[in-house]
Amino acid sequence: MNQEVIKRRMPSEERQSEIVRVAIHLAAEKGIDSVTTQDMADAMKVTQGAIFKHFPTKDDIWLAVMQWIRGKLMTVVEKAASEATDPMDAIERMFFAHITFIGKHPSIPRLLFSEMLHKRNSKLRDLIQEIISGYEGKIAGLLEMAKDQALVARELDSKNAAVLYIGMIQGLFMQVSIFGGKRTLLEEAKKTFPIYLHGIKKRSDDL
């Protein structure tokens, strides 16, 4: 029995998950704009028709990819936060869990901040906005808790500090991508996060 026959008999949910994984891999390898459904089919050694059997359109594939990202990323950062001793420890653990996650899946920041995907259709744009705003909300909530515990400056704008937190991760990824092997994401993150903490921490005169 050849490989294609075996693949055709895979359960639908399993096949959909495989298509999502392949799309993420190809986005990292070729760039989001360049990935076609034929590329996905070739990588999976199936026909293009087999792809469309599970996802009617290419946009449906990217929607599934975004849903996968939301589920996996939130699981990773929430697990990290659950092991924390206080809100600031949670934020730090989430930051480095996120950095480690995108180190393993380098196409994810490109997908979340892809102008092309934002413009493809309103469902994609809305889902991406939902992922980012939901994450910002979690960080802002932790920063408000940190304020209540006098761990950060009482005048801190938690919402904008959360926006900066997300932007810091994206900026680090872009910088490391530009410099290639000259800089590593984790090492740059270790240098950057203390600066972020310094900017939001409680001052000695903040009494």
Side-chain angles (χ1 to χ4, degrees), residues 7-9 23 62 68 71 87 90 101 186:
K7 283 181 176 291
R8 281 201 300 267
R9 293 181 178 177
W62 291 127
W68 182 92
F101 182 70
L186 182 58

Side-chain angles (χ1 to χ4, degrees), residues 142-161:
L142 285 167
L143 288 170
E144 285 298 305
M145 291 172 60
K147 270 202 239 184
D148 292 340
Q149 297 178 30
L151 297 174
V152 297
R154 63 172 175 259
E155 71 275 11
L156 178 71
D157 184 330
S158 297
K159 181 178 179 180
N160 283 318

Side-chain angles (χ1 to χ4, degrees), residues 10-200:
M10 288 170 61
S12 180
E13 187 175 335
E14 187 177 344
R15 174 55 61 79
Q16 289 172 350
S17 296
E18 184 183 12
I19 293 169
V20 166
R21 289 194 299 270
V22 167
I24 291 170
H25 172 75
L26 289 172
E29 186 179 83
K30 296 170 62 72
I32 300 160
D33 296 358
S34 301
V35 178
T36 67
T37 51
Q38 187 60 59
D39 292 328
M40 298 176 197
D42 291 344
M44 295 170 63
K45 296 182 172 58
V46 297
T47 64
Q48 199 171 7
I51 300 290
F52 289 120
K53 178 181 177 182
H54 297 279
F55 292 104
T57 70
K58 188 177 177 182
D59 282 358
D60 289 321
I61 297 173
W62 291 127
L63 277 168
V65 165
M66 290 302 166
Q67 289 162 350
W68 182 92
I69 290 172
R70 177 174 57 183
K72 293 293 184 180
L73 179 57
M74 289 302 103
T75 296
V76 166
V77 297
E78 286 172 3
K79 180 179 184 300
S82 71
E83 298 168 351
T85 55
D86 61 52
M88 293 309 297
D89 185 37
I91 288 172
E92 183 168 358
R93 287 173 181 269
M94 290 170 71
F95 179 82
F96 285 103
H98 190 158
I99 289 291
T100 300
F101 182 70
I102 61 177
K104 294 177 180 176
H105 304 284
S107 63
I108 285 176
R110 296 190 184 102
L111 287 160
L112 284 174
F113 295 92
S114 166
E115 185 177 0
M116 184 272 287
L117 291 186
H118 292 179
K119 291 180 176 180
R120 285 191 75 92
N121 66 40
S122 59
K123 286 184 179 179
L124 267 170
R125 184 180 62 250
D126 291 347
L127 180 54
I128 293 169
Q129 289 177 352
E130 182 183 324
I131 293 168
I132 295 172
S133 62
Y135 194 0
E136 288 175 351
K138 289 179 185 297
I139 299 301
L142 285 167
L143 288 170
E144 285 298 305
M145 291 172 60
K147 270 202 239 184
D148 292 340
Q149 297 178 30
L151 297 174
V152 297
R154 63 172 175 259
E155 71 275 11
L156 178 71
D157 184 330
S158 297
K159 181 178 179 180
N160 283 318
V163 171
L164 179 60
Y165 171 99
I166 300 295
M168 181 169 53
I169 294 173
Q170 177 68 1
L172 284 169
F173 175 79
M174 290 178 64
Q175 183 185 81
V176 169
S177 298
I178 290 168
F179 283 90
K182 296 179 180 179
R183 301 180 183 181
T184 69
L185 188 58
L186 182 58
E187 287 305 311
E188 294 303 310
K190 287 178 179 178
K191 296 174 188 175
T192 304
F193 193 74
I195 300 172
Y196 178 76
L197 288 181
H198 179 75
I200 65 174

